[in-house]
Amino acid sequence: MKPVIAWFRSDLRLADNPMLAAAHDSGKPVIAVYILDDVNPGIWKQGGATRWWLHQSLAALLQKIPLVLLKGDASKELLKLAEKTGAEEVFWNRCYEPWAIERDTKIKEALKKKNIEAHSFNGFLLFEPWEIKNKTGSSYKVFTPYSRACHERGGIRPPAGAAKKINFAKADGLSLNDLGLMPDIKWYGGMAEFWQPGEEGAHKRLKRFAADGASKYKAQRDFPAVDGVSRLSPHLHFGELSPHQVWDALSGKVERAHDYLRQLLWREFSWHLLYHAPDFPEKPWNKQFTKFPWKKDKKLLRLWQKGNTGYPIVDAGMRQLWQTGWMHNRVRMIVGSFLVKNLLLNWRDGEDWFWDTLVDADLGNNAAGWQWIAGCGADAAPYFRIFNPVLQSRKFDPAGEYIKKYIPELKNLSSDYIHAPWEASPLELSAAGVTLGKTYPAPVVDLSESRDRALKAYSVSKSAA
Ligand code: FAD
């Protein structure tokens, strides 16, 4: 019997995987394939941290099923595989990156010409980005009415289990190491300690969060020293879990899950924005920002990237990112605001750095997060609302526990000074073993001056637009 192809992409799971279930239901032998495509994404090919994750996640999947691994332009590789194996049908779950939509449309046409049927499904989002529309038939630009429309629409399907006894067929492919996903320099030790990529790790985290975290989410979610968020983002990004599984585990089953489910709708909204504005990762949504006078300063950018700005909460966040491949959402907002407002560097620089270093780097969420914090996105924080990193730090990390964890050189400073070491007297600094400019950097900019400079730049660009 001729086989069918089940093409894994952002859905590295067996349970609740619509394309895999449909391939199995065809009754034919199933060739499962993953293709590492660094050709079609252009500048958005996967970054260092996501490549590390991908390697681990594929390794986990390979333990369960005979997955064929290929590398190259997926539009060519998939066709070659279909021709070689005589497959008559191909199944996949839809991806919504603009480059993926373009590529997959071409692939569908090419397969059709060869009489191979392509079937696509939704396994990545709760709602298709084109489904949720306002009364005039346009897409939403503001989150609250968008989320209301999602609730009104409802109908989120319950997740399906894993298909039993899939008749997998084998085909020639590469070894996992041949994909070359692991870096030569072993910088990933902290990440390996922190995460368990793969479907099993994803379910463990979801189970733990549903049991212990979800009902306390609203109260705890803003405090980076507390284990108060789900940390499901990389699992959702790689599709080791479907949003339907998360929704189902919490909705109506866990008290006060509403606030958490709202965040899942932010994820939907981000992808909805990207679908309707394919240049969203590169261009400001609000065209008023097209000529914003961003500074170009590689040295400042490097200090920010490495967590050496002299602002402890900013530096702790950037070091958490470097060590674990993830950063708490509150701190993402603080470091983002600091980059674009206090340092006046382009949000695209921040977006690129996150793209390379986050294990959850995700085209929709990352672009939306950066445009939100830069004030140029749809439904964004207004540019003139500038986070004060010291006040944010005092409010959300009052005892400085988060700072101490990632900046141990400040661990002996009292909570009065840990948020702003430059305010401590020389005596207090020396008692804590801190020498500003030596053991820990002095602030790279003055907060109030840089704030005024940002507001001036904003008013100039506003009047020029
Ligand atoms: P939880 O608080 O437990 O939330 C649950 C899930 O909801 C998350 O896993 C995520 O899928 C989704 N979610 C939560 N907050 C948001 C949000 N603001 N926007 C969209 N979806 C959200 N998230 C990414 O997944 N990838 C990114 O590349 C990314 N880049 C960001 C860049 C900036 C500048 C900012 C401010 C935010 C970014 N976010 C990104 C959103 C958010 O910070 C992360 O989703 C969240 O911190 C992940 O941790 P968690 O899974 O514990 O989240």
Side-chain angles (χ1 to χ4, degrees):
M1 200 189 301
K2 293 206 163 159
V4 299
I5 294 176
W7 182 15
F8 282 84
R9 296 120 65 92
S10 301
D11 51 355
L12 303 179
R13 63 176 183 272
L14 300 181
D16 194 40
N17 188 329
M19 71 88 188
L20 186 61
H24 172 59
D25 289 346
S26 72
K28 297 174 188 163
V30 177
I31 296 174
V33 62
Y34 181 87
I35 306 170
L36 177 66
D37 185 346
D38 283 335
V39 179
N40 287 287
I43 60 166
W44 296 114
K45 76 173 198 186
Q46 311 205 44
T50 43
R51 292 174 104 76
W52 171 82
W53 187 288
L54 179 60
H55 180 101
Q56 313 304 320
S57 191
L58 290 173
L61 198 53
L62 276 162
Q63 286 191 352
K64 302 251 164 80
I65 62 171
L67 185 65
V68 177
L69 299 176
L70 299 172
K71 188 177 178 177
D73 181 344
S75 40
K76 293 187 183 138
E77 294 301 321
L78 190 72
L79 253 84
K80 272 198 257 166
L81 180 68
E83 273 170 13
K84 250 202 253 170
T85 57
E88 286 177 336
E89 291 176 83
V90 183
F91 297 78
W92 68 69
N93 291 319
R94 286 187 276 281
C95 290
Y96 303 91
E97 289 88 354
W99 62 262
I101 294 177
E102 204 180 312
R103 177 195 65 186
D104 296 348
T105 310
K106 281 191 200 142
I107 293 181
K108 227 172 195 177
E109 279 164 21
L111 288 171
K112 206 170 162 193
K113 278 193 192 144
K114 298 203 176 289
N115 286 327
I116 302 170
E117 254 187 279
H119 310 273
S120 65
F121 302 82
N122 174 5
F124 187 71
L125 294 172
L126 297 170
F127 302 100
E128 294 290 8
W130 52 85
E131 265 175 10
I132 307 290
K133 286 193 176 141
N134 64 21
K135 289 203 173 77
T136 63
S138 333
S139 60
Y140 282 98
K141 279 128 196 122
V142 178
F143 175 71
T144 304
Y146 170 83
S147 69
R148 205 178 301 128
C150 291
H151 282 291
E152 276 164 16
R153 193 171 201 288
I156 294 170
R157 64 167 172 77
K164 295 216 168 69
K165 291 207 177 122
I166 298 179
N167 175 17
F168 285 110
K170 290 192 178 155
D172 292 341
L174 303 168
S175 76
L176 183 54
N177 285 337
D178 288 341
L179 294 187
L181 291 163
M182 291 295 273
D184 296 333
I185 300 168
K186 290 190 177 156
W187 45 257
Y188 46 80
M191 293 186 347
E193 239 172 69
F194 197 75
W195 300 101
Q196 186 188 344
E199 193 169 10
E200 206 179 307
H203 281 278
K204 268 192 209 158
R205 229 174 237 282
L206 174 60
K207 220 168 151 190
R208 209 185 74 182
F209 182 69
D212 294 338
S215 59
K216 293 181 253 162
Y217 181 74
K218 187 178 184 192
Q220 299 190 334
R221 63 176 290 231
D222 273 316
F223 296 89
V226 177
D227 188 13
V229 291
S230 70
R231 299 183 195 213
L232 285 174
S233 49
H235 298 294
L236 279 164
H237 170 72
F238 283 94
E240 297 164 355
L241 265 181
S242 72
H244 304 82
Q245 290 172 311
V246 182
W247 194 274
D248 184 71
L250 301 175
S251 180
K253 294 184 181 143
V254 173
E255 235 186 291
R256 295 189 288 274
H258 174 266
D259 292 280
Y260 182 80
L261 297 174
R262 186 180 156 85
Q263 293 313 115
L264 279 188
L265 293 182
W266 269 104
R267 175 177 181 267
E268 298 284 314
F269 184 56
S270 303
W271 280 94
H272 169 90
L273 292 176
L274 176 59
Y275 179 78
H276 292 285
D279 63 359
F280 191 46
E282 294 104 38
K283 304 249 167 72
W285 177 284
N286 178 346
K287 298 303 169 215
Q288 205 181 335
F289 281 80
T290 307
K291 292 197 175 145
F292 192 91
W294 302 113
K295 271 172 61 141
K296 280 200 177 96
D297 189 328
K298 280 196 179 146
K299 212 171 134 203
L300 268 186
L301 179 61
R302 200 74 194 139
L303 291 175
W304 176 83
Q305 290 170 336
K306 292 288 169 193
N308 283 322
T309 68
Y311 286 91
I313 190 75
V314 174
D315 294 342
M318 298 310 291
R319 295 186 198 185
Q320 178 181 33
L321 174 60
W322 188 248
Q323 285 171 33
T324 68
W326 182 88
M327 193 196 300
H328 189 277
N329 181 60
R330 168 61 47 184
V331 192
R332 291 188 202 204
M333 294 194 283
I334 298 171
V335 304
S337 171
F338 189 80
L339 181 85
V340 295
K341 294 175 184 174
N342 299 100
L343 300 184
L344 216 61
L345 297 177
N346 198 324
W347 60 273
R348 286 282 291 105
D349 291 333
E351 188 192 27
D352 280 348
W353 183 249
F354 272 26
W355 185 254
D356 200 28
T357 52
L358 276 173
V359 285
D360 64 22
D362 179 279
L363 202 60
N365 288 355
N366 200 30
W370 278 101
Q371 293 232 27
W372 185 89
I373 201 68
C376 56
D379 199 8
Y383 184 85
F384 54 78
R385 200 172 294 153
I386 298 178
F387 278 39
N388 179 317
V390 176
L391 298 182
Q392 289 281 316
S393 187
R394 289 199 170 117
K395 186 167 175 191
F396 296 113
D397 186 30
E401 291 166 74
Y402 176 74
I403 293 176
K404 287 179 191 172
K405 181 162 183 193
Y406 292 102
I407 315 184
E409 56 269 38
L410 297 182
K411 72 175 189 298
N412 294 324
L413 270 181
S414 75
S415 55
D416 288 339
Y417 297 114
I418 194 152
H419 310 284
W422 60 92
E423 288 178 359
S425 68
L427 206 65
E428 277 148 345
L429 285 174
S430 111
V434 177
T435 311
L436 288 184
K438 233 175 173 185
T439 60
Y440 181 69
V444 284
V445 283
D446 176 83
L447 279 188
S448 126
E449 273 171 28
S450 58
R451 185 177 186 281
D452 291 349
R453 186 182 58 173
L455 291 175
K456 212 184 258 167
Y458 174 60
S459 64
V460 170
S461 91
K462 207 165 103 180
S463 50

